[in-house]
Amino acid sequence: MIRFDNVSKRYGSGQDALSRVSFDVASGEMLFLTGHSGAGKSTLMKLIMLMERPTQGQVLIDDRNLNRLSRRHIPYFRRKVGVVFQNHQLLFDRSVFENVALPLQIAGYQAGEVGRRVRAALDKVGLLDKERHNPIMLSGGEQQRVGIARAVVNKPPLLLADEPTGNLDPELSADIMNLFEQFNDVGVTVMIASHDLSLLKRMNKRVLGLSGGQIVHDGVLA
Amino acid sequence: MSPRRPLPRTAPKPPPKPRPKGASQSRTRLADRLDSWQAHHSTTAVESLQRLFRTPLQSLLTWLVVAVAVALPAALYLVLNNIQNLGYSWQDSGQMSVFLIEDVRPEAIDALLASLNEDARIDQVSHVPPNDALEEFKAYSGLGRVLQGLEENPLPDVLLIRPATNNPDALGELRETIAAEPLVAEVRLDMAWVRRLQEMMALGQRVVLALATLLALGVLLAVGNTIRLAIENRRDEILVVKLVGGTDAFVRRPFLYTGLWYGLGGGILALVLLGAGLWWLSGPVARLADLYQSDFRLRGLDLTESLQLVLLSGVLGLLGAWLAVARHLIQIEPR
């Protein structure tokens, strides 16, 4: 599903965010990405989302070389990748329902289908009763769940999450992780960036450890 | 959009497809996409208009800027138009006077009148016999006593011709034709006056065109700048939309509609301004015209011209928005 082939990324400032990173993620896998801030986690995620382009090497998603994807095709590619952000990236000028509906409206679903899918996604994250609320009225954990609902509403085959539990207490974190596992159970490839070591150990999944822009660990944490 | 609103169905719902085990990227059928594309256009159009009404003062200011910029050249155009109309109604005084040679037999004059009447370039011909002319001259010149001392009538037969055209070249040609008649001694036509009016109108039209071009540029910049601010205000939304796969066209759409609304609204407001100005002036103008025994009245824009004005203004708004969007949206990329 994801393949990094000797990928390097150097920013304009001359700083190497990633250098010669190679790894494979099979379809239907769930894995974590860890490392200190500045280790390259975010850059790696951004390369998958085509928010950045590699300076060197190739990123293949679903056997598709992202280097060959023109700017015009980026939106259509992004529809196949669900992303959960640490700061939620919710829009506070509209309801929870409308936030979650956004990817479907963009993808051109009929209004009836949009309603059905949004409610299914909100039901999944346990927020069906809050669909008319403004997200600003929700707690941090609830906002994160709205973000997750929005990321999965289009049923993407790949789900990325950048520090999804960063600001949450352990109990809420466990809830959120549980959700991700459920998506993984139905075949979604899930990749989560987190620096919460205790969480990584508890989850007992493959972990990619990044340091200084290089992969220093690949496997289940001991 | 309220989630509980009854949902319009324009196409039959596709039968539920058997879903393969596991998550799948669901595809939408082309017909559904077209429907929803259309639906997005109409909801975006309505939403962007509602958005404008949510900040009424700011929107009104932009509408006024557009309206003034559109109304000004339109008003000048109307002034020119009215002067031209006035010119046409004066055309009577610029008619051709054809002086005949002395001692022409009445039958010959009748024959000439008949042949002139058949000329398509001539609207009307009338014959003023020397005696009538003298009477008229006595009555209006104030020289009645002096003229009474005359032993014989010095005035020739005169034909007054109202040409069917006011094109200076055609008038010149007509004049030549008539002057070539053997009975005609002289043809008088105030060509200079007609030409001057025409040239002044041509000049005026150029000035209006130049001014209209400048002000159209002003509308583009004003709408463009307003849209630029709107883009800045909705930066977060644009980022999120781009992140979840919104195409450039999708992101552009609401701003283009906003520009269109600014333009159309400004155009309608310009019509109102023009109408008010016309109403304000029409009373005095009518009274002035009455004093000159003229039935001249101010003429406003007709329906077609009004529609054209609003449409043109709408296009300007759309173009202004397009400029702003092309320049600024591309700079907002998720980082």
Side-chain angles (χ1 to χ4, degrees), chain B residues 137-149:
Chain B
F137 192 46
K138 276 181 188 165
Y140 286 100
S141 64
L143 298 172
R145 292 201 173 187
V146 181
L147 293 173
Q148 244 152 24

Side-chain angles (χ1 to χ4, degrees), chain A residues 71 79 94 98 105 132 186, chain B residues 1 4 22-23 237 245 248:
Chain A
R71 190 180 175 281
R79 291 176 196 178
R94 57 197 76 193
E98 284 161 334
Q105 282 161 352
R132 283 162 167 239
V186 294
Chain B
M1 176 171 63
R4 297 224 187 269
E237 181 184 347
D248 287 345

